[in-house]
Amino acid sequence: MRDIRIAAVQFEARDADKEYNLGRIAALAARAVGEGAEAVAFHECCATGYTFLQELPAARIAELAEPVPEGPTTRRLIELAGRLNAAILAGLVEIDGDKLFNCYVAVTPAGFVAKHRKIHAFISPHLSCGEELRTFELCGVRCGILTCYDNNLVENPRILALQGAEVIFAPHVTCGLQSPMPGRGKIDRKLWENRHRDPVPLAMEFQGPKGRGWLMHWLPTRAYENGVYYVFSNAVGVDHDTIKTGNAMVIDPYGEILAESRALGDDVVVALCTPEKIERSGGRRYLRARRPELYAKLVEPLPPGQKPEVLPGWRLAGESG
């Protein structure tokens, strides 16, 4: 790894409005590069919008989807990377044959670098789950991608760390959701609409258990236990029938927050990531202390007929979708 400045971005995407969303991606990426970023990370499905996909039939999602890397959105991201001389990471819906995927791409001025298909897709039954965890080289740094729910299973970032990941990009659309956990729940849209006149009530929701408070239960731990940098990007504001909290941040291998947004709207945060923290981190020592011969239970196949169960907290709380 080398010294690198990485930006995490939050913005309010518009459902099914790729032109608008790509415009915001371009503007915010330019801002990030102006603040020194060499790589700029956006949230999942930021090019298309996300939660509204749960309402759409397969044919409508397919109309929004594109092949990767041949499709127009990936091409425009490559063009943007070229104009800014920086790496860009962003999400869209991919179509491959008759399958649809929640896809996240990484590009540089030289072209397409990598993609990750969310391996725990759930927002729509029409989205297939990805089948691969892999790392790749980006700007002289070994990277991996885990999309939203993928980060909830501790095995996933551990595998990427064992594959040599130094930075894990974690694009999300999360927070402000119903859940059986204490203090969780939706955020009143009126607070968002009144944020300029009276920002404090919304800020309290964003920083409390519906937003940052919940993230702090587990997100720094993923960085700490694996000795990696974590780049968390998220939507902010109206996302279909919810209000998302942003909280974009970069976390170091000690689990410390290097930079984070507390903005009640579109924002960019940039942090310097340096190699020495990785080797000194506890997480790297823990990787070397593993006893794989004791872990056979982790790779036992599921019982016959049983499939992986991806059950978000908002479904446990009785939400539809």
Side-chain angles (χ1 to χ4, degrees), residues 26-43:
L28 291 164
R31 174 179 159 187
V33 171
E35 295 178 17
E38 299 171 72
V40 187
F42 294 86
H43 62 270

Side-chain angles (χ1 to χ4, degrees), residues 66-99:
E66 303 175 15
V68 174
E70 301 86 358
T73 292
T74 305
R75 292 200 305 269
R76 286 183 62 173
L77 293 172
I78 293 170
E79 292 168 2
L80 176 63
R83 291 201 305 272
L84 299 177
N85 193 31
I88 306 292
L89 299 98
L92 69 158
V93 180
E94 178 191 8
I95 188 166
D96 185 3
D98 61 353
K99 289 189 174 183

Side-chain angles (χ1 to χ4, degrees), residues 1 3 229 253-254 272-281:
M1 183 174 174
D3 287 4
Y229 287 92
Y254 303 148
L272 175 64
C273 302
T274 61
E276 65 271 9
K277 287 184 178 180
I278 291 177
E279 192 55 36
R280 294 173 184 170
S281 67

Side-chain angles (χ1 to χ4, degrees), residues 118-303:
K118 187 175 183 179
I119 63 173
H120 298 284
F122 65 84
I123 197 70
S124 167
H126 309 305
L127 293 175
S128 297
C129 292
E131 299 289 343
E132 185 178 20
L133 291 167
R134 61 183 292 267
T135 58
F136 55 93
E137 199 79 12
L138 186 73
C139 303
V141 177
R142 200 73 192 163
C143 299
I145 298 166
L146 294 173
T147 301
C148 203
Y149 202 98
D150 296 347
N151 294 277
N152 294 345
L153 283 81
V154 297
E155 295 87 351
N156 294 336
R158 174 53 53 90
I159 290 168
L160 292 182
L162 290 171
Q163 291 178 354
E166 298 160 320
V167 174
I168 293 177
F169 292 95
H172 281 66
V173 173
T174 193
C175 299
L177 291 166
Q178 293 293 347
S179 170
M181 289 183 276
R184 298 290 304 283
K186 287 189 174 182
I187 296 170
D188 189 341
R189 183 164 177 162
K190 292 179 181 178
L191 297 180
W192 172 258
E193 294 170 347
N194 199 42
R195 67 192 181 281
H196 300 301
R197 181 178 295 274
D198 188 11
V200 173
L202 183 65
M204 293 175 67
E205 294 281 66
F206 276 26
Q207 299 304 313
K210 295 178 182 179
R212 186 181 190 274
W214 172 67
L215 295 171
M216 290 301 100
H217 284 306
W218 60 272
L219 187 56
T221 303
R222 296 294 178 268
Y224 171 80
E225 65 196 359
N226 293 296
V228 296
Y229 287 92
Y230 240 81
V231 181
F232 172 82
S233 51
N234 190 22
V236 69
V238 177
D239 176 63
H240 190 50
D241 60 347
T242 63
I243 301 298
K244 295 294 180 262
T245 63
N247 307 114
M249 67 182 79
V250 181
I251 305 171
D252 76 9
Y254 303 148
E256 302 293 338
I257 299 172
L258 298 180
E260 68 173 313
S261 176
R262 294 183 180 243
L264 306 180
D266 297 5
D267 199 18
V268 169
V269 294
V270 181
L272 175 64
C273 302
T274 61
E276 65 271 9
K277 287 184 178 180
I278 291 177
E279 192 55 36
R280 294 173 184 170
S281 67
R284 289 292 148 151
R285 295 198 305 275
Y286 306 152
L287 291 180
R288 295 191 291 269
R290 293 180 314 113
R291 296 281 306 279
E293 70 274 12
L294 303 179
Y295 306 155
K297 191 72 177 175
L298 289 174
V299 294
E300 283 184 1
L302 294 174

